[in-house]
Amino acid sequence: MPEEPTVGLVLGSKEPRERKARSQSEVAKRRAKRTDKPRIKDIAEQLGVSVATVSRALNDKPGVADDLRRRVIEMAAELDFTPNMAARSLNGARTGAVAFVVHQHGIPVANDQFYFVMLRAVERALSKHGYHVMIATVGERADGRNEELRLVSERRVDGVILAGPDINSSLALSAIQHGLPVVLVDNALERTPSDSVVCDNRDGARAAVEHLLFHGHERIAFVGGPTTWLSTRERRAGYEDAMREAGLETMVIHEEATTVTTGMAAGRKLVGVPHTLLPPSAVFAVNDAMALGVMRAAREAGCRVPGDLAVVGFDDIDMAEISDPPLTTVRIAKELMGELAARQLLELIHTERQLPVKSVVATTLVVRMSCGCAAK
């Protein structure tokens, strides 16, 4: 069981009123003198005690009189002292918290039909070991790198799960360099050994395309996201494997994101342009959101799905089953991936394991109506 955070404020102190009533101007003067973050040394100097005494008081260690402990805590609050979690970690202390980090997608994490399922599985697994999960989102800077997280740089957590192919490698490397246990989910670093949990993207994509080939389709398009994303690259590779073995030409479109909106944009390029001589008869989309967007674009262009255009997605989110028509897709075991990520992170936190582990979870083709099966 990880230790509970040991720094806090003592309530209900019985200090004499005059000692508690330090003037606001006196506190302001102390703060004004400082231009950087207060340190334990500053608290020690203010009170005329040793650094070791302040450290023991703030970490609830024995050997400090109650009266002095209260004064230390009060001074820490007045100086806006924030404990250095990196130093605490070096001393063997743990925070009892783990961060689950996803990229900002414009919707609350709770509404994300993919990563929220993983998050719940992570929470269930870690709560059994006394950990609570902090949810954090990151955006991108102008140079395309993810924003730095203070909870990482200040080691406010015992470990980090980075979920999604749109988490830039710079953030993962930063966490690793700060000495934090890190597990990537639905992503992996190309050159730096690290723990990761992914699904079998390539085999799942290949199975989806082979299913369309079985239906007799020869003009099958691939609709994907950024080529920098691991899932896009691997699923495109599976698509190309199947098309190459069938001796067929590929038709590939990449968009800047993998949303319903970008799926619609890709769909319009494929079926909504009058001068297109040979539009595809089928589309394999890198995820369900894009597949749903393609179907919407097809309807706008007067195409029937699956009559004129068969569509297959990837992920098997909740919307896939209730779309019109229900979407044929590749199911990812999202809960299992979350459980594995939690298990690997706990192992990194509590053991000296050095060899990175990459867990690859199998996928399953879920056949519904959008591919044309039920229509035949």
Side-chain angles (χ1 to χ4, degrees), residues 200-215 220 235 237-243 284 312-314 328-331 363-367 371:
D200 196 339
N201 289 303
R202 190 164 186 162
D203 187 68
R206 179 178 179 139
V209 177
E210 286 178 344
H211 183 74
L212 291 170
L213 291 169
F214 176 77
H215 274 281
I220 305 173
R235 292 172 195 179
Y239 158 80
E240 291 174 339
D241 289 343
M243 296 294 281
F284 167 57
V312 175
F314 206 112
T328 294
T329 185
V330 178
R331 176 175 294 162
T363 58
T364 305
L365 181 66
V366 179
V367 178
C371 62

PDB file of all heavy atoms in Angstrom, residues 200-215 220 235 237-243 284 312-314 328-331 363-367 371:
ATOM      1  N   ASP A 200      -3.409  -5.313 -31.711  1.00  0.00           N
ATOM      2  CA  ASP A 200      -2.769  -5.797 -32.936  1.00  0.00           C
ATOM      3  C   ASP A 200      -3.377  -5.046 -34.118  1.00  0.00           C
ATOM      4  O   ASP A 200      -4.243  -5.560 -34.834  1.00  0.00           O
ATOM      5  CB  ASP A 200      -2.955  -7.306 -33.079  1.00  0.00           C
ATOM      6  CG  ASP A 200      -1.998  -7.913 -34.090  1.00  0.00           C
ATOM      7  OD1 ASP A 200      -1.497  -7.160 -34.947  1.00  0.00           O
ATOM      8  OD2 ASP A 200      -1.753  -9.130 -34.029  1.00  0.00           O
ATOM      9  N   ASN A 201      -2.928  -3.812 -34.292  1.00  0.00           N
ATOM     10  CA  ASN A 201      -3.474  -2.939 -35.324  1.00  0.00           C
ATOM     11  C   ASN A 201      -3.353  -3.538 -36.721  1.00  0.00           C
ATOM     12  O   ASN A 201      -4.303  -3.512 -37.514  1.00  0.00           O
ATOM     13  CB  ASN A 201      -2.748  -1.589 -35.301  1.00  0.00           C
ATOM     14  CG  ASN A 201      -3.093  -0.750 -34.093  1.00  0.00           C
ATOM     15  OD1 ASN A 201      -4.244  -0.436 -33.847  1.00  0.00           O
ATOM     16  ND2 ASN A 201      -2.075  -0.391 -33.327  1.00  0.00           N
ATOM     17  N   ARG A 202      -2.202  -4.050 -37.037  1.00  0.00           N
ATOM     18  CA  ARG A 202      -1.933  -4.525 -38.399  1.00  0.00           C
ATOM     19  C   ARG A 202      -2.786  -5.737 -38.741  1.00  0.00           C
ATOM     20  O   ARG A 202      -3.405  -5.801 -39.809  1.00  0.00           O
ATOM     21  CB  ARG A 202      -0.445  -4.847 -38.543  1.00  0.00           C
ATOM     22  CG  ARG A 202       0.000  -5.116 -39.977  1.00  0.00           C
ATOM     23  CD  ARG A 202       1.500  -5.036 -40.087  1.00  0.00           C
ATOM     24  NE  ARG A 202       1.956  -5.155 -41.465  1.00  0.00           N
ATOM     25  CZ  ARG A 202       3.151  -4.795 -41.888  1.00  0.00           C
ATOM     26  NH1 ARG A 202       4.031  -4.261 -41.024  1.00  0.00           N
ATOM     27  NH2 ARG A 202       3.499  -4.937 -43.162  1.00  0.00           N
ATOM     28  N   ASP A 203      -2.851  -6.703 -37.831  1.00  0.00           N
ATOM     29  CA  ASP A 203      -3.635  -7.912 -38.091  1.00  0.00           C
ATOM     30  C   ASP A 203      -5.124  -7.585 -38.144  1.00  0.00           C
ATOM     31  O   ASP A 203      -5.859  -8.130 -38.968  1.00  0.00           O
ATOM     32  CB  ASP A 203      -3.361  -8.947 -37.005  1.00  0.00           C
ATOM     33  CG  ASP A 203      -4.008 -10.287 -37.314  1.00  0.00           C
ATOM     34  OD1 ASP A 203      -3.575 -10.944 -38.279  1.00  0.00           O
ATOM     35  OD2 ASP A 203      -4.966 -10.653 -36.601  1.00  0.00           O
ATOM     36  N   GLY A 204      -5.579  -6.675 -37.262  1.00  0.00           N
ATOM     37  CA  GLY A 204      -6.990  -6.291 -37.266  1.00  0.00           C
ATOM     38  C   GLY A 204      -7.389  -5.617 -38.564  1.00  0.00           C
ATOM     39  O   GLY A 204      -8.459  -5.886 -39.124  1.00  0.00           O
ATOM     40  N   ALA A 205      -6.519  -4.725 -39.062  1.00  0.00           N
ATOM     41  CA  ALA A 205      -6.807  -4.037 -40.321  1.00  0.00           C
ATOM     42  C   ALA A 205      -6.816  -5.026 -41.486  1.00  0.00           C
ATOM     43  O   ALA A 205      -7.673  -4.958 -42.376  1.00  0.00           O
ATOM     44  CB  ALA A 205      -5.767  -2.952 -40.559  1.00  0.00           C
ATOM     45  N   ARG A 206      -5.894  -5.909 -41.474  1.00  0.00           N
ATOM     46  CA  ARG A 206      -5.819  -6.911 -42.543  1.00  0.00           C
ATOM     47  C   ARG A 206      -7.088  -7.752 -42.587  1.00  0.00           C
ATOM     48  O   ARG A 206      -7.645  -8.014 -43.656  1.00  0.00           O
ATOM     49  CB  ARG A 206      -4.595  -7.795 -42.318  1.00  0.00           C
ATOM     50  CG  ARG A 206      -4.416  -8.895 -43.357  1.00  0.00           C
ATOM     51  CD  ARG A 206      -3.146  -9.677 -43.081  1.00  0.00           C
ATOM     52  NE  ARG A 206      -2.983 -10.741 -44.054  1.00  0.00           N
ATOM     53  CZ  ARG A 206      -1.847 -11.080 -44.608  1.00  0.00           C
ATOM     54  NH1 ARG A 206      -0.749 -10.413 -44.305  1.00  0.00           N
ATOM     55  NH2 ARG A 206      -1.768 -12.077 -45.459  1.00  0.00           N
ATOM     56  N   ALA A 207      -7.575  -8.158 -41.414  1.00  0.00           N
ATOM     57  CA  ALA A 207      -8.793  -8.963 -41.352  1.00  0.00           C
ATOM     58  C   ALA A 207      -9.985  -8.189 -41.897  1.00  0.00           C
ATOM     59  O   ALA A 207     -10.842  -8.753 -42.597  1.00  0.00           O
ATOM     60  CB  ALA A 207      -9.056  -9.399 -39.917  1.00  0.00           C
ATOM     61  N   ALA A 208     -10.039  -6.896 -41.595  1.00  0.00           N
ATOM     62  CA  ALA A 208     -11.152  -6.065 -42.080  1.00  0.00           C
ATOM     63  C   ALA A 208     -11.148  -5.969 -43.596  1.00  0.00           C
ATOM     64  O   ALA A 208     -12.195  -6.100 -44.254  1.00  0.00           O
ATOM     65  CB  ALA A 208     -11.057  -4.672 -41.458  1.00  0.00           C
ATOM     66  N   VAL A 209      -9.983  -5.737 -44.178  1.00  0.00           N
ATOM     67  CA  VAL A 209      -9.881  -5.599 -45.631  1.00  0.00           C
ATOM     68  C   VAL A 209     -10.123  -6.942 -46.320  1.00  0.00           C
ATOM     69  O   VAL A 209     -10.778  -7.008 -47.376  1.00  0.00           O
ATOM     70  CB  VAL A 209      -8.509  -5.013 -46.018  1.00  0.00           C
ATOM     71  CG1 VAL A 209      -8.372  -4.927 -47.543  1.00  0.00           C
ATOM     72  CG2 VAL A 209      -8.337  -3.632 -45.395  1.00  0.00           C
ATOM     73  N   GLU A 210      -9.628  -8.001 -45.734  1.00  0.00           N
ATOM     74  CA  GLU A 210      -9.871  -9.328 -46.320  1.00  0.00           C
ATOM     75  C   GLU A 210     -11.359  -9.656 -46.336  1.00  0.00           C
ATOM     76  O   GLU A 210     -11.846 -10.334 -47.242  1.00  0.00           O
ATOM     77  CB  GLU A 210      -9.088 -10.396 -45.540  1.00  0.00           C
ATOM     78  CG  GLU A 210      -7.588 -10.361 -45.817  1.00  0.00           C
ATOM     79  CD  GLU A 210      -6.826 -11.385 -45.008  1.00  0.00           C
ATOM     80  OE1 GLU A 210      -7.407 -11.917 -44.008  1.00  0.00           O
ATOM     81  OE2 GLU A 210      -5.658 -11.657 -45.328  1.00  0.00           O
ATOM     82  N   HIS A 211     -12.084  -9.170 -45.342  1.00  0.00           N
ATOM     83  CA  HIS A 211     -13.526  -9.380 -45.323  1.00  0.00           C
ATOM     84  C   HIS A 211     -14.190  -8.651 -46.485  1.00  0.00           C
ATOM     85  O   HIS A 211     -15.096  -9.198 -47.139  1.00  0.00           O
ATOM     86  CB  HIS A 211     -14.104  -8.887 -43.991  1.00  0.00           C
ATOM     87  CG  HIS A 211     -15.571  -9.114 -43.848  1.00  0.00           C
ATOM     88  ND1 HIS A 211     -16.117 -10.359 -43.611  1.00  0.00           N
ATOM     89  CD2 HIS A 211     -16.629  -8.259 -43.933  1.00  0.00           C
ATOM     90  CE1 HIS A 211     -17.437 -10.269 -43.540  1.00  0.00           C
ATOM     91  NE2 HIS A 211     -17.774  -9.003 -43.738  1.00  0.00           N
ATOM     92  N   LEU A 212     -13.731  -7.436 -46.767  1.00  0.00           N
ATOM     93  CA  LEU A 212     -14.271  -6.698 -47.910  1.00  0.00           C
ATOM     94  C   LEU A 212     -13.889  -7.371 -49.235  1.00  0.00           C
ATOM     95  O   LEU A 212     -14.692  -7.417 -50.173  1.00  0.00           O
ATOM     96  CB  LEU A 212     -13.761  -5.247 -47.886  1.00  0.00           C
ATOM     97  CG  LEU A 212     -14.311  -4.371 -46.756  1.00  0.00           C
ATOM     98  CD1 LEU A 212     -13.551  -3.047 -46.688  1.00  0.00           C
ATOM     99  CD2 LEU A 212     -15.807  -4.124 -46.933  1.00  0.00           C
ATOM    100  N   LEU A 213     -12.698  -7.894 -49.311  1.00  0.00           N
ATOM    101  CA  LEU A 213     -12.269  -8.626 -50.507  1.00  0.00           C
ATOM    102  C   LEU A 213     -13.146  -9.862 -50.719  1.00  0.00           C
ATOM    103  O   LEU A 213     -13.502 -10.206 -51.851  1.00  0.00           O
ATOM    104  CB  LEU A 213     -10.798  -9.031 -50.384  1.00  0.00           C
ATOM    105  CG  LEU A 213      -9.771  -7.889 -50.433  1.00  0.00           C
ATOM    106  CD1 LEU A 213      -8.391  -8.406 -50.034  1.00  0.00           C
ATOM    107  CD2 LEU A 213      -9.737  -7.264 -51.827  1.00  0.00           C
ATOM    108  N   PHE A 214     -13.506 -10.509 -49.629  1.00  0.00           N
ATOM    109  CA  PHE A 214     -14.368 -11.694 -49.700  1.00  0.00           C
ATOM    110  C   PHE A 214     -15.726 -11.341 -50.304  1.00  0.00           C
ATOM    111  O   PHE A 214     -16.349 -12.147 -50.993  1.00  0.00           O
ATOM    112  CB  PHE A 214     -14.544 -12.282 -48.300  1.00  0.00           C
ATOM    113  CG  PHE A 214     -15.491 -13.439 -48.242  1.00  0.00           C
ATOM    114  CD1 PHE A 214     -15.112 -14.696 -48.672  1.00  0.00           C
ATOM    115  CD2 PHE A 214     -16.796 -13.257 -47.771  1.00  0.00           C
ATOM    116  CE1 PHE A 214     -16.006 -15.764 -48.618  1.00  0.00           C
ATOM    117  CE2 PHE A 214     -17.687 -14.318 -47.727  1.00  0.00           C
ATOM    118  CZ  PHE A 214     -17.290 -15.577 -48.148  1.00  0.00           C
ATOM    119  N   HIS A 215     -16.168 -10.107 -50.059  1.00  0.00           N
ATOM    120  CA  HIS A 215     -17.429  -9.627 -50.629  1.00  0.00           C
ATOM    121  C   HIS A 215     -17.295  -9.285 -52.111  1.00  0.00           C
ATOM    122  O   HIS A 215     -18.275  -8.909 -52.746  1.00  0.00           O
ATOM    123  CB  HIS A 215     -17.921  -8.388 -49.877  1.00  0.00           C
ATOM    124  CG  HIS A 215     -18.726  -8.714 -48.660  1.00  0.00           C
ATOM    125  ND1 HIS A 215     -20.044  -9.093 -48.709  1.00  0.00           N
ATOM    126  CD2 HIS A 215     -18.395  -8.704 -47.344  1.00  0.00           C
ATOM    127  CE1 HIS A 215     -20.498  -9.302 -47.480  1.00  0.00           C
ATOM    128  NE2 HIS A 215     -19.511  -9.082 -46.630  1.00  0.00           N
ATOM    129  N   ILE A 220     -10.973  -0.600 -52.904  1.00  0.00           N
ATOM    130  CA  ILE A 220     -11.132  -0.369 -51.461  1.00  0.00           C
ATOM    131  C   ILE A 220     -10.212   0.766 -51.052  1.00  0.00           C
ATOM    132  O   ILE A 220      -8.999   0.714 -51.262  1.00  0.00           O
ATOM    133  CB  ILE A 220     -10.798  -1.640 -50.652  1.00  0.00           C
ATOM    134  CG1 ILE A 220     -11.650  -2.821 -51.132  1.00  0.00           C
ATOM    135  CG2 ILE A 220     -10.999  -1.382 -49.151  1.00  0.00           C
ATOM    136  CD1 ILE A 220     -11.251  -4.148 -50.505  1.00  0.00           C
ATOM    137  N   ARG A 235      -2.310   0.355 -39.054  1.00  0.00           N
ATOM    138  CA  ARG A 235      -3.551  -0.062 -39.708  1.00  0.00           C
ATOM    139  C   ARG A 235      -3.459   0.131 -41.224  1.00  0.00           C
ATOM    140  O   ARG A 235      -3.985  -0.683 -41.988  1.00  0.00           O
ATOM    141  CB  ARG A 235      -4.743   0.696 -39.107  1.00  0.00           C
ATOM    142  CG  ARG A 235      -4.997   0.287 -37.666  1.00  0.00           C
ATOM    143  CD  ARG A 235      -6.037   1.133 -36.940  1.00  0.00           C
ATOM    144  NE  ARG A 235      -5.943   0.910 -35.496  1.00  0.00           N
ATOM    145  CZ  ARG A 235      -6.694   1.499 -34.577  1.00  0.00           C
ATOM    146  NH1 ARG A 235      -7.610   2.387 -34.949  1.00  0.00           N
ATOM    147  NH2 ARG A 235      -6.525   1.219 -33.297  1.00  0.00           N
ATOM    148  N   ALA A 237      -0.691  -0.253 -42.810  1.00  0.00           N
ATOM    149  CA  ALA A 237       0.167  -1.369 -43.221  1.00  0.00           C
ATOM    150  C   ALA A 237      -0.651  -2.647 -43.392  1.00  0.00           C
ATOM    151  O   ALA A 237      -0.434  -3.413 -44.340  1.00  0.00           O
ATOM    152  CB  ALA A 237       1.280  -1.584 -42.197  1.00  0.00           C
ATOM    153  N   GLY A 238      -1.605  -2.891 -42.473  1.00  0.00           N
ATOM    154  CA  GLY A 238      -2.457  -4.072 -42.603  1.00  0.00           C
ATOM    155  C   GLY A 238      -3.329  -4.003 -43.841  1.00  0.00           C
ATOM    156  O   GLY A 238      -3.543  -5.007 -44.537  1.00  0.00           O
ATOM    157  N   TYR A 239      -3.849  -2.810 -44.123  1.00  0.00           N
ATOM    158  CA  TYR A 239      -4.638  -2.589 -45.352  1.00  0.00           C
ATOM    159  C   TYR A 239      -3.793  -2.882 -46.577  1.00  0.00           C
ATOM    160  O   TYR A 239      -4.221  -3.589 -47.505  1.00  0.00           O
ATOM    161  CB  TYR A 239      -5.138  -1.144 -45.350  1.00  0.00           C
ATOM    162  CG  TYR A 239      -5.508  -0.580 -46.703  1.00  0.00           C
ATOM    163  CD1 TYR A 239      -6.731  -0.867 -47.304  1.00  0.00           C
ATOM    164  CD2 TYR A 239      -4.620   0.264 -47.392  1.00  0.00           C
ATOM    165  CE1 TYR A 239      -7.067  -0.334 -48.546  1.00  0.00           C
ATOM    166  CE2 TYR A 239      -4.947   0.808 -48.621  1.00  0.00           C
ATOM    167  CZ  TYR A 239      -6.168   0.502 -49.203  1.00  0.00           C
ATOM    168  OH  TYR A 239      -6.504   1.023 -50.431  1.00  0.00           O
ATOM    169  N   GLU A 240      -2.573  -2.363 -46.613  1.00  0.00           N
ATOM    170  CA  GLU A 240      -1.699  -2.559 -47.769  1.00  0.00           C
ATOM    171  C   GLU A 240      -1.282  -4.015 -47.922  1.00  0.00           C
ATOM    172  O   GLU A 240      -1.126  -4.504 -49.050  1.00  0.00           O
ATOM    173  CB  GLU A 240      -0.479  -1.644 -47.652  1.00  0.00           C
ATOM    174  CG  GLU A 240      -0.825  -0.169 -47.817  1.00  0.00           C
ATOM    175  CD  GLU A 240       0.354   0.751 -47.561  1.00  0.00           C
ATOM    176  OE1 GLU A 240       1.312   0.314 -46.873  1.00  0.00           O
ATOM    177  OE2 GLU A 240       0.319   1.906 -48.025  1.00  0.00           O
ATOM    178  N   ASP A 241      -1.091  -4.718 -46.801  1.00  0.00           N
ATOM    179  CA  ASP A 241      -0.773  -6.152 -46.871  1.00  0.00           C
ATOM    180  C   ASP A 241      -1.844  -6.909 -47.647  1.00  0.00           C
ATOM    181  O   ASP A 241      -1.550  -7.693 -48.559  1.00  0.00           O
ATOM    182  CB  ASP A 241      -0.658  -6.746 -45.463  1.00  0.00           C
ATOM    183  CG  ASP A 241       0.580  -6.292 -44.724  1.00  0.00           C
ATOM    184  OD1 ASP A 241       1.506  -5.780 -45.368  1.00  0.00           O
ATOM    185  OD2 ASP A 241       0.601  -6.444 -43.480  1.00  0.00           O
ATOM    186  N   ALA A 242      -3.102  -6.667 -47.258  1.00  0.00           N
ATOM    187  CA  ALA A 242      -4.218  -7.390 -47.879  1.00  0.00           C
ATOM    188  C   ALA A 242      -4.384  -7.007 -49.347  1.00  0.00           C
ATOM    189  O   ALA A 242      -4.612  -7.868 -50.212  1.00  0.00           O
ATOM    190  CB  ALA A 242      -5.510  -7.114 -47.112  1.00  0.00           C
ATOM    191  N   MET A 243      -4.257  -5.725 -49.650  1.00  0.00           N
ATOM    192  CA  MET A 243      -4.416  -5.271 -51.032  1.00  0.00           C
ATOM    193  C   MET A 243      -3.281  -5.781 -51.911  1.00  0.00           C
ATOM    194  O   MET A 243      -3.496  -6.187 -53.073  1.00  0.00           O
ATOM    195  CB  MET A 243      -4.478  -3.741 -51.071  1.00  0.00           C
ATOM    196  CG  MET A 243      -5.679  -3.137 -50.371  1.00  0.00           C
ATOM    197  SD  MET A 243      -7.255  -3.534 -51.181  1.00  0.00           S
ATOM    198  CE  MET A 243      -7.229  -2.365 -52.551  1.00  0.00           C
ATOM    199  N   PHE A 284     -12.250   1.299 -45.881  1.00  0.00           N
ATOM    200  CA  PHE A 284     -11.815   0.865 -44.561  1.00  0.00           C
ATOM    201  C   PHE A 284     -11.278   2.093 -43.849  1.00  0.00           C
ATOM    202  O   PHE A 284     -10.311   2.715 -44.295  1.00  0.00           O
ATOM    203  CB  PHE A 284     -10.732  -0.211 -44.652  1.00  0.00           C
ATOM    204  CG  PHE A 284     -10.024  -0.466 -43.341  1.00  0.00           C
ATOM    205  CD1 PHE A 284     -10.757  -0.832 -42.214  1.00  0.00           C
ATOM    206  CD2 PHE A 284      -8.651  -0.320 -43.224  1.00  0.00           C
ATOM    207  CE1 PHE A 284     -10.132  -1.036 -40.987  1.00  0.00           C
ATOM    208  CE2 PHE A 284      -8.012  -0.526 -42.011  1.00  0.00           C
ATOM    209  CZ  PHE A 284      -8.753  -0.892 -40.891  1.00  0.00           C
ATOM    210  N   VAL A 312     -16.210  -0.135 -43.344  1.00  0.00           N
ATOM    211  CA  VAL A 312     -15.763  -0.879 -42.155  1.00  0.00           C
ATOM    212  C   VAL A 312     -14.896   0.052 -41.318  1.00  0.00           C
ATOM    213  O   VAL A 312     -14.065   0.801 -41.848  1.00  0.00           O
ATOM    214  CB  VAL A 312     -14.958  -2.141 -42.539  1.00  0.00           C
ATOM    215  CG1 VAL A 312     -14.409  -2.830 -41.285  1.00  0.00           C
ATOM    216  CG2 VAL A 312     -15.827  -3.104 -43.328  1.00  0.00           C
ATOM    217  N   GLY A 313     -15.092   0.022 -39.998  1.00  0.00           N
ATOM    218  CA  GLY A 313     -14.314   0.868 -39.089  1.00  0.00           C
ATOM    219  C   GLY A 313     -13.364   0.067 -38.214  1.00  0.00           C
ATOM    220  O   GLY A 313     -13.059  -1.103 -38.499  1.00  0.00           O
ATOM    221  N   PHE A 314     -12.921   0.702 -37.134  1.00  0.00           N
ATOM    222  CA  PHE A 314     -11.974   0.071 -36.205  1.00  0.00           C
ATOM    223  C   PHE A 314     -12.195   0.695 -34.833  1.00  0.00           C
ATOM    224  O   PHE A 314     -12.294   1.912 -34.716  1.00  0.00           O
ATOM    225  CB  PHE A 314     -10.542   0.343 -36.670  1.00  0.00           C
ATOM    226  CG  PHE A 314      -9.517  -0.669 -36.238  1.00  0.00           C
ATOM    227  CD1 PHE A 314      -8.894  -1.496 -37.161  1.00  0.00           C
ATOM    228  CD2 PHE A 314      -9.155  -0.789 -34.906  1.00  0.00           C
ATOM    229  CE1 PHE A 314      -7.925  -2.417 -36.774  1.00  0.00           C
ATOM    230  CE2 PHE A 314      -8.201  -1.704 -34.504  1.00  0.00           C
ATOM    231  CZ  PHE A 314      -7.581  -2.529 -35.446  1.00  0.00           C
ATOM    232  N   THR A 328     -19.945  -2.369 -39.292  1.00  0.00           N
ATOM    233  CA  THR A 328     -18.992  -3.473 -39.176  1.00  0.00           C
ATOM    234  C   THR A 328     -17.653  -2.866 -38.775  1.00  0.00           C
ATOM    235  O   THR A 328     -17.205  -1.862 -39.344  1.00  0.00           O
ATOM    236  CB  THR A 328     -18.856  -4.213 -40.516  1.00  0.00           C
ATOM    237  OG1 THR A 328     -20.091  -4.856 -40.814  1.00  0.00           O
ATOM    238  CG2 THR A 328     -17.745  -5.256 -40.458  1.00  0.00           C
ATOM    239  N   THR A 329     -17.000  -3.460 -37.793  1.00  0.00           N
ATOM    240  CA  THR A 329     -15.792  -2.837 -37.257  1.00  0.00           C
ATOM    241  C   THR A 329     -14.876  -3.881 -36.628  1.00  0.00           C
ATOM    242  O   THR A 329     -15.231  -5.056 -36.505  1.00  0.00           O
ATOM    243  CB  THR A 329     -16.175  -1.771 -36.213  1.00  0.00           C
ATOM    244  OG1 THR A 329     -15.003  -1.089 -35.774  1.00  0.00           O
ATOM    245  CG2 THR A 329     -16.878  -2.388 -35.015  1.00  0.00           C
ATOM    246  N   VAL A 330     -13.699  -3.429 -36.237  1.00  0.00           N
ATOM    247  CA  VAL A 330     -12.726  -4.286 -35.553  1.00  0.00           C
ATOM    248  C   VAL A 330     -12.771  -3.935 -34.069  1.00  0.00           C
ATOM    249  O   VAL A 330     -12.517  -2.779 -33.693  1.00  0.00           O
ATOM    250  CB  VAL A 330     -11.306  -4.078 -36.114  1.00  0.00           C
ATOM    251  CG1 VAL A 330     -10.303  -4.947 -35.354  1.00  0.00           C
ATOM    252  CG2 VAL A 330     -11.275  -4.412 -37.609  1.00  0.00           C
ATOM    253  N   ARG A 331     -13.103  -4.901 -33.260  1.00  0.00           N
ATOM    254  CA  ARG A 331     -13.253  -4.644 -31.815  1.00  0.00           C
ATOM    255  C   ARG A 331     -11.902  -4.699 -31.112  1.00  0.00           C
ATOM    256  O   ARG A 331     -11.123  -5.635 -31.303  1.00  0.00           O
ATOM    257  CB  ARG A 331     -14.196  -5.656 -31.191  1.00  0.00           C
ATOM    258  CG  ARG A 331     -14.337  -5.528 -29.665  1.00  0.00           C
ATOM    259  CD  ARG A 331     -15.369  -6.492 -29.145  1.00  0.00           C
ATOM    260  NE  ARG A 331     -16.701  -6.136 -29.638  1.00  0.00           N
ATOM    261  CZ  ARG A 331     -17.752  -6.978 -29.647  1.00  0.00           C
ATOM    262  NH1 ARG A 331     -17.597  -8.224 -29.217  1.00  0.00           N
ATOM    263  NH2 ARG A 331     -18.920  -6.569 -30.095  1.00  0.00           N
ATOM    264  N   THR A 363      -7.346  -8.517 -31.675  1.00  0.00           N
ATOM    265  CA  THR A 363      -8.586  -7.843 -32.060  1.00  0.00           C
ATOM    266  C   THR A 363      -9.576  -8.855 -32.630  1.00  0.00           C
ATOM    267  O   THR A 363      -9.216  -9.984 -32.944  1.00  0.00           O
ATOM    268  CB  THR A 363      -8.316  -6.753 -33.118  1.00  0.00           C
ATOM    269  OG1 THR A 363      -7.690  -7.379 -34.255  1.00  0.00           O
ATOM    270  CG2 THR A 363      -7.408  -5.676 -32.562  1.00  0.00           C
ATOM    271  N   THR A 364     -10.829  -8.409 -32.771  1.00  0.00           N
ATOM    272  CA  THR A 364     -11.884  -9.288 -33.295  1.00  0.00           C
ATOM    273  C   THR A 364     -12.717  -8.515 -34.312  1.00  0.00           C
ATOM    274  O   THR A 364     -13.134  -7.383 -34.042  1.00  0.00           O
ATOM    275  CB  THR A 364     -12.816  -9.756 -32.155  1.00  0.00           C
ATOM    276  OG1 THR A 364     -12.038 -10.377 -31.127  1.00  0.00           O
ATOM    277  CG2 THR A 364     -13.841 -10.758 -32.690  1.00  0.00           C
ATOM    278  N   LEU A 365     -12.969  -9.105 -35.463  1.00  0.00           N
ATOM    279  CA  LEU A 365     -13.842  -8.487 -36.463  1.00  0.00           C
ATOM    280  C   LEU A 365     -15.296  -8.694 -36.047  1.00  0.00           C
ATOM    281  O   LEU A 365     -15.739  -9.822 -35.827  1.00  0.00           O
ATOM    282  CB  LEU A 365     -13.597  -9.094 -37.841  1.00  0.00           C
ATOM    283  CG  LEU A 365     -14.435  -8.500 -38.986  1.00  0.00           C
ATOM    284  CD1 LEU A 365     -14.042  -7.047 -39.228  1.00  0.00           C
ATOM    285  CD2 LEU A 365     -14.268  -9.326 -40.257  1.00  0.00           C
ATOM    286  N   VAL A 366     -16.037  -7.596 -35.933  1.00  0.00           N
ATOM    287  CA  VAL A 366     -17.452  -7.653 -35.572  1.00  0.00           C
ATOM    288  C   VAL A 366     -18.260  -7.307 -36.822  1.00  0.00           C
ATOM    289  O   VAL A 366     -18.242  -6.165 -37.285  1.00  0.00           O
ATOM    290  CB  VAL A 366     -17.776  -6.666 -34.431  1.00  0.00           C
ATOM    291  CG1 VAL A 366     -19.259  -6.731 -34.077  1.00  0.00           C
ATOM    292  CG2 VAL A 366     -16.921  -6.964 -33.208  1.00  0.00           C
ATOM    293  N   VAL A 367     -18.960  -8.292 -37.366  1.00  0.00           N
ATOM    294  CA  VAL A 367     -19.684  -8.117 -38.627  1.00  0.00           C
ATOM    295  C   VAL A 367     -21.103  -7.640 -38.355  1.00  0.00           C
ATOM    296  O   VAL A 367     -21.869  -8.294 -37.645  1.00  0.00           O
ATOM    297  CB  VAL A 367     -19.700  -9.432 -39.434  1.00  0.00           C
ATOM    298  CG1 VAL A 367     -20.502  -9.253 -40.720  1.00  0.00           C
ATOM    299  CG2 VAL A 367     -18.287  -9.875 -39.758  1.00  0.00           C
ATOM    300  N   CYS A 371     -21.048  -3.462 -44.039  1.00  0.00           N
ATOM    301  CA  CYS A 371     -20.188  -4.113 -45.034  1.00  0.00           C
ATOM    302  C   CYS A 371     -21.002  -4.827 -46.110  1.00  0.00           C
ATOM    303  O   CYS A 371     -20.470  -5.261 -47.130  1.00  0.00           O
ATOM    304  CB  CYS A 371     -19.258  -5.107 -44.367  1.00  0.00           C
ATOM    305  SG  CYS A 371     -20.117  -6.468 -43.539  1.00  0.00           S
TER     306      CYS A 371
END
